[in-house]
């Protein structure tokens, strides 16, 4: 979940401002972790300079002297701590005993204890508690055993077990950055007289959009104008170089459609607010682009006995809603499982079933592992992702991409609504094939889907300020609240509560509204906010009763509901445009995204960088 960046520059402008270029790229990666930051450059005299510190990049910018660093080669890191607390010592880059080799890493090296013992027994002295530090010492050790820098790097990689994206520089090979990838993401960017390598495309989008996504098991190096890749086999802790095979990659280089503008704040105070307001466009692009992969997916789904969604966080909430659409519109029994729990269910799957893996990043490790488990038992896999060529779509039988553009804020917003649109479209198409729904209903849903970008625009126009004022009136001091819903509304409630928890640090729990009487209501007292999401005729009266129950305990009640539903009893009613109930979740979540955003901002928190979280979770 950390962010890593490496740059090899040929142009003198880039060389002179190398520290600032690293800073810009690291700023773009900060959403992957911000416990500490650091960089290493080989300066013009050939010396390795390493600067690192605990804290966020802007807080330690001067201390680390980003504006003073120059050279033709540099690597940087922004950390989400796994092994070792956030501290200066544990910050990356890590170095060998003599400070000649520097390494940054994202992931977890599972066998680091055993490697560290081996290295310590050979006289290496460690400075940090991290798993990463074994890597520079391994390179140093294999060089001592007679290997050149690159062979020593490959050998070091071949003895690691775990997940990693690693890049390294060595003063004995001052024109290149070594890299290795296993599970954690790593992408090369082809710039103008410069080459970039990073955890994610937005890191270097200011410089290039020509990219090459690396695959698991690949190692190699970049120079300012060349890429060399090979695959490497695991090997033992001895002095024999590992077995490798060259990899040709020209056909994998592609130009991606994301623009610099999309990956910047564009005048908004935070990425999250910008991304909330980008939803009309993200939805319109996604819906218009629903072609590639759809026919193949329908073909798999048509034959499926069961359809099982696997996903995490917001993607799970989209899957929860998608599951209801699959059952009631697609005509196939379906379930949605949190991906980290999937291993307990996989024995219930077979080659007659289809798994739909939903992941905006396409790299969430729990979802990736669930996909692998499902494939082992023969299930076919459809991936829904926002990142082209990421690991989950790559390992799936069929990939369908949402076209939300880059989502930088840790809190998912536009990727969530575009996921729902995609899953709904698939369910309707399947329902037509299976004759589970009539043409008329299918047409209404598809028409409403094409109207939804405008409907979301109206919600944003109408409620931008109203929700802001609700956030300060009702949520100023509260530390706990409930989000209640039924059916589709429950999926929206779950997502609303997650937004509130993750960025505003308010204890927000989502419950099936009916279930609230079986325990949760005990907490309700005067002034306790309860947010209801009621999306259909089917649950309206039931939710009205639930509102009454909460009001008689002096709760403050807020209802999200389509226009035309009264809800006189609620203290505050937010009315979203009336569209087909299965399309409604897309509009209904928007005020709840805004609510969480304004509560976070009112409390002085940065919604783009919630504590302890990272955008892409690549550790189990
Ligand atoms: O990239 P993914 O969609 O697989 O990510 C899944 C979750 O980590 C993600 O949705 C997370 O819960 C977000 N912080 C939600 O806002």
């Amino acid at each position: 979940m950390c962010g890593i960046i490496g740059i090899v520059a040929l142009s003198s402008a880039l060389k002179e401002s190398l520290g600032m270029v690293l800073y810009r790229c690291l700023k773009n990666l900060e959403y992957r972790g911000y416990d500490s930051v650091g960089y290493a450059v080989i300066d013009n005299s050939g010396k390795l300079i390493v600067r690192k510190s605990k804290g966020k990049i802007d807080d330690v910018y001067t201390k680390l002297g980003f504006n003073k660093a120059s050279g033709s080669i540099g690597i940087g890191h922004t950390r989400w701590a796994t092994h070792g607390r956030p501290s200066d010592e544990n910050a990356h880059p890590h170095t060998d005993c003599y400070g000649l080799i520097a390494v940054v890493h994202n992931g977890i090296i599972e066998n680091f204890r055993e490697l560290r013992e081996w290295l310590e027994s050979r006289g290496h002295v460690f400075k940090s508690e991290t798993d990463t530090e074994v890597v520079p010492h391994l390179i140093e050790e294999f060089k001592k055993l007679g290997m050149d820098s690159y062979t020593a790097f490959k050998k070091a990689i071949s003895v690691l077990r775990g997940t990693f994206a690693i890049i390294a520089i060595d003063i004995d090979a001052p024109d290149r950055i070594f890299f290795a990838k296993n599970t954690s993401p790593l992408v090369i960017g082809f710039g103008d007289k410069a080459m970039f390598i990073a955890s994610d495309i937005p890191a270097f989008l200011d410089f290039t959009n020509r990219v090459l996504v690396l695959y698991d098991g690949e190692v190699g190096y970049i120079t300012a104008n060349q890429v060399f890749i090979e695959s490497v086999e695991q090997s033992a802790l001895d002095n024999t170089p590992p077995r490798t095979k060259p990899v040709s990659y020209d056909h994998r280089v592609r130009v991606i459609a994301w623009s610099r503008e999309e990956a910047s704040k564009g005048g908004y105070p935070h990425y999250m607010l910008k991304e909330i307001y980008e939803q009309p466009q993200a939805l319109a692009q996604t819906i218009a682009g629903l072609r590639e992969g759809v026919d193949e997916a329908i073909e798999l789904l048509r034959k499926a006995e069961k359809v099982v969604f696997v996903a995490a966080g917001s993607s799970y909430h989209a899957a929860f809603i998608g599951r209801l659409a699959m059952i009631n519109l697609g005509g196939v029994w379906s379930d949605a499982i949190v991906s980290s729990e999937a291993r307990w269910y996989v024995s219930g799957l077979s080659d007659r079933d289809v798994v739909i893996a939903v992941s905006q990043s396409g790299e969430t490790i729990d979802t990736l592992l669930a996909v692998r488990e499902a494939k082992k038992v023969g299930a076919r896999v459809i991936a829904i992702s926002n990142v082209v060529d990421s690991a989950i779509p790559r390992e799936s039988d069929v990939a369908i991409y949402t076209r939300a553009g880059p989502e930088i804020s840790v809190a998912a917003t536009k990727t969530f609504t575009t996921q729902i649109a995609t899953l709904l479209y698939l369910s309707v198409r399947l329902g037509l094939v299976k004759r589970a729904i009539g043409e008329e209903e299918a047409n209404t849903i598809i028409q409403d889907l094409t109207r939804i970008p405008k409907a979301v625009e109206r919600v944003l126009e109408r409620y931008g300020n109203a929700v802001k004022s609700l956030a300060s009136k009702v949520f100023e001091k509260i530390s706990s609240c409930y989000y209640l819903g039924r059916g589709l509304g429950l999926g929206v409630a779950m997502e609303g509560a997650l937004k509130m928890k993750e960025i505003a640090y308010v204890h927000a729990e989502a419950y099936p509204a009916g279930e609230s009487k079986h325990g949760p209501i005990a907490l309700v007292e005067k002034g306790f906010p309860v947010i209801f999401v009621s999306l259909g005729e089917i649950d309206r009266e039931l939710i009205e009763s639930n509102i009454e129950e909460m009001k008689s305990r002096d709760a403050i009640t807020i209802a999200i509901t389509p226009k035309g539903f009264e809800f006189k009893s609620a203290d505050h009613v937010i009315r979203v445009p009336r569209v087909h109930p299965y399309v409604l979740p897309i509009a209904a979540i928007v005020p709840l995204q805004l609510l969480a955003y304004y509560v976070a901002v009112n409390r002085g928190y940065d919604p783009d960088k919630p504590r302890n979280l990272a955008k892409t979770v690549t550790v189990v």
Side-chain angles (χ1 to χ4, degrees):
M1 333 222 299
C2 309
I4 64 180
I5 175 74
I7 304 161
V8 194
L10 207 59
S11 84
S12 37
L14 275 186
K15 283 183 187 173
E16 268 155 41
S17 56
L18 188 66
M20 289 310 291
V21 179
L22 283 167
Y23 166 79
R24 267 168 81 180
C25 296
L26 284 170
K27 274 297 287 176
N28 294 340
L29 280 172
E30 228 188 342
Y31 65 92
R32 298 182 66 89
Y34 25 82
D35 290 331
S36 65
V37 65
Y39 69 88
V41 297
I42 299 181
D43 74 5
N44 297 330
S45 66
K47 257 178 64 192
L48 183 77
I49 312 287
V50 179
R51 298 268 183 273
K52 55 186 193 170
S53 172
K54 179 182 169 189
K56 291 188 183 144
I57 191 162
D58 281 335
D59 299 338
V60 297
Y61 170 85
T62 315
K63 175 177 166 193
L64 297 191
F66 277 100
N67 54 343
K68 297 193 187 112
S70 60
S72 57
I73 189 160
I75 58 176
H77 187 270
T78 178
R79 181 168 188 242
W80 188 87
T82 57
H83 291 65
R85 78 210 137 80
S87 69
D88 290 357
E89 298 73 36
N90 291 334
H92 297 216
H94 292 285
T95 52
D96 62 310
C97 293
Y98 304 100
L100 307 176
I101 299 162
V103 171
V104 295
H105 162 221
N106 167 32
I108 291 179
I109 296 167
E110 284 159 14
N111 59 338
F112 83 98
R113 283 198 182 81
E114 155 198 340
L115 294 171
R116 186 167 170 150
E117 272 169 29
W118 183 75
L119 288 159
E120 281 173 339
S121 74
R122 299 171 89 89
H124 290 259
V125 178
F126 281 74
K127 300 176 277 288
S128 78
E129 305 157 286
T130 65
D131 51 342
T132 308
E133 201 187 340
V134 295
V135 181
H137 289 281
L138 282 169
I139 302 173
E140 177 194 342
E141 185 60 26
F142 292 127
K143 280 176 78 178
K144 260 194 227 152
L145 293 175
M147 296 178 206
D148 63 52
S149 292
Y150 178 51
T151 311
F153 173 77
K154 289 191 283 187
K155 178 70 184 175
I157 297 303
S158 75
V159 301
L160 303 181
R161 276 200 318 275
T163 59
F164 47 80
I166 291 175
I167 59 178
I169 53 177
D170 178 346
I171 62 152
D172 288 335
D175 65 337
R176 58 198 57 195
I177 294 178
F178 303 133
F179 62 78
K181 174 197 171 351
N182 185 36
T183 308
S184 307
L186 203 53
V187 191
I188 292 173
F190 296 76
D192 179 22
K193 292 198 194 149
M195 203 71 86
F196 297 81
I197 184 160
S199 305
D200 221 339
I201 297 164
F204 51 64
L205 211 46
D206 288 346
F207 303 93
T208 181
N209 61 354
R210 246 186 99 214
V211 306
L212 167 65
V213 177
L214 291 165
Y215 293 174
D216 286 348
E218 291 183 336
V219 294
Y221 57 82
I222 52 169
T223 66
N225 48 21
Q226 192 202 349
V227 177
F228 178 72
I229 307 180
E230 49 190 344
S231 61
V232 66
E233 284 179 20
Q234 289 233 306
S235 77
L237 274 176
D238 56 24
N239 62 357
T240 51
R243 284 150 64 110
T244 55
K245 259 200 228 133
V247 170
S248 62
Y249 59 83
D250 286 348
H251 60 288
R252 282 163 43 192
V253 178
R254 58 170 80 216
V255 174
I256 52 122
W258 294 356
S259 67
R260 284 173 203 199
E261 169 59 23
E262 279 179 312
S264 72
K265 281 192 204 154
Y268 285 87
H270 299 102
Y271 283 111
M272 182 179 176
L273 192 62
K274 174 179 174 253
E275 288 159 6
I276 291 174
Y277 276 84
E278 276 173 352
Q279 288 179 109
Q281 196 200 348
L283 283 159
Q285 279 169 197
T286 297
I287 293 160
L290 278 171
R291 280 182 306 274
E292 226 174 288
V294 170
D295 290 343
E296 294 94 311
I298 297 297
E299 192 46 30
L300 290 184
L301 290 167
R302 189 177 64 79
K303 295 185 250 161
E305 217 158 76
K306 301 190 279 294
V307 173
V308 175
F309 290 87
V310 293
S314 294
S315 294
Y316 171 73
H317 300 150
F320 182 93
I321 291 167
R323 181 249 315 239
L324 290 177
M326 253 324 141
I327 295 173
N328 296 305
L329 306 173
V332 56
W333 176 252
S334 180
D335 209 341
I337 301 169
V338 166
S339 44
S340 55
E341 292 286 307
R343 69 192 65 186
W344 279 277
Y345 296 84
V346 84
S347 60
L349 292 177
S350 76
D351 57 3
R352 295 184 299 281
D353 302 320
V354 169
V355 164
I356 303 186
V358 188
S359 170
Q360 78 78 23
S361 62
E363 300 285 352
T364 297
I365 186 77
D366 290 324
T367 309
L368 182 59
L369 294 178
V371 166
R372 288 180 182 163
E373 296 267 344
K375 289 190 83 173
K376 270 194 221 149
V377 297
R380 308 298 297 277
V381 181
I382 300 168
I384 311 289
S385 178
N386 195 44
V387 181
V388 173
D389 264 357
S390 50
I392 293 167
R394 256 191 351 250
E395 295 199 18
S396 300
D397 297 291
V398 177
I400 299 177
Y401 292 104
T402 50
R403 287 172 163 77
E407 188 178 70
I408 308 291
S409 175
V410 167
T413 52
K414 58 179 180 168
T415 55
F416 173 72
T417 45
T418 52
Q419 285 167 348
I420 298 177
T422 305
L423 295 176
L424 181 55
Y425 181 76
L426 275 185
S427 307
V428 172
R429 286 278 312 269
L430 179 66
L432 279 172
V433 172
K434 296 189 78 166
R435 296 186 196 286
I437 46 167
E439 290 221 357
E440 203 179 321
E441 185 170 17
N443 286 341
T444 311
I445 299 173
I446 300 290
Q447 258 169 29
D448 282 1
L449 255 184
T450 53
R451 286 171 46 208
I452 199 68
K454 273 265 164 265
V456 167
E457 213 168 275
R458 286 206 296 283
V459 175
L460 288 165
E461 275 161 16
R462 170 131 198 242
Y463 286 108
N465 284 331
V467 171
K468 194 172 179 177
S469 106
L470 194 67
S472 34
K473 272 197 219 135
V474 177
F475 289 81
E476 197 194 348
K477 297 217 172 83
I478 61 111
S479 55
S480 219
C481 59
Y482 285 148
Y483 286 67
L484 307 182
R486 290 170 184 258
L488 296 164
L490 177 58
V492 175
M494 282 158 38
E495 176 61 6
L498 176 64
K499 292 289 87 100
M500 186 62 93
K501 257 186 286 221
E502 68 179 336
I503 61 166
Y505 317 143
V506 171
H507 172 237
E509 264 193 87
Y511 263 97
E515 184 71 7
S516 64
K517 297 188 292 290
H518 299 275
I521 200 166
L523 253 65
V524 174
E525 54 187 3
K526 193 171 169 43
F528 188 103
V530 185
I531 297 158
F532 291 89
V533 186
S534 169
L535 301 185
E537 208 59 64
I538 187 172
D539 67 10
R540 190 159 64 99
E541 283 182 5
L542 296 169
I543 295 269
E544 292 250 37
S545 315
N546 297 138
I547 294 178
E548 292 296 347
E549 287 152 14
M550 291 298 172
K551 279 196 65 103
S552 25
R553 270 100 193 152
D554 289 329
I556 299 181
T557 53
I558 299 163
I560 315 280
T561 187
K563 272 188 185 145
F565 286 17
E566 279 305 315
F567 282 113
K568 285 210 183 95
S569 49
D571 298 307
H572 305 272
V573 182
I574 296 176
R575 290 196 175 80
V576 294
R578 194 162 191 167
V579 284
H580 190 281
Y582 277 86
V583 186
L584 262 178
I586 299 173
I589 189 58
V590 175
L592 298 181
Q593 295 168 338
L594 288 169
L595 181 65
Y597 172 81
Y598 286 118
V599 174
V601 170
N602 287 348
R603 291 175 183 221
Y605 303 133
D606 179 349
D608 288 340
K609 296 192 203 80
R611 67 187 176 211
N612 306 334
L613 297 182
K615 179 75 180 159
T616 310
V617 181
T618 51
V619 291
V620 283

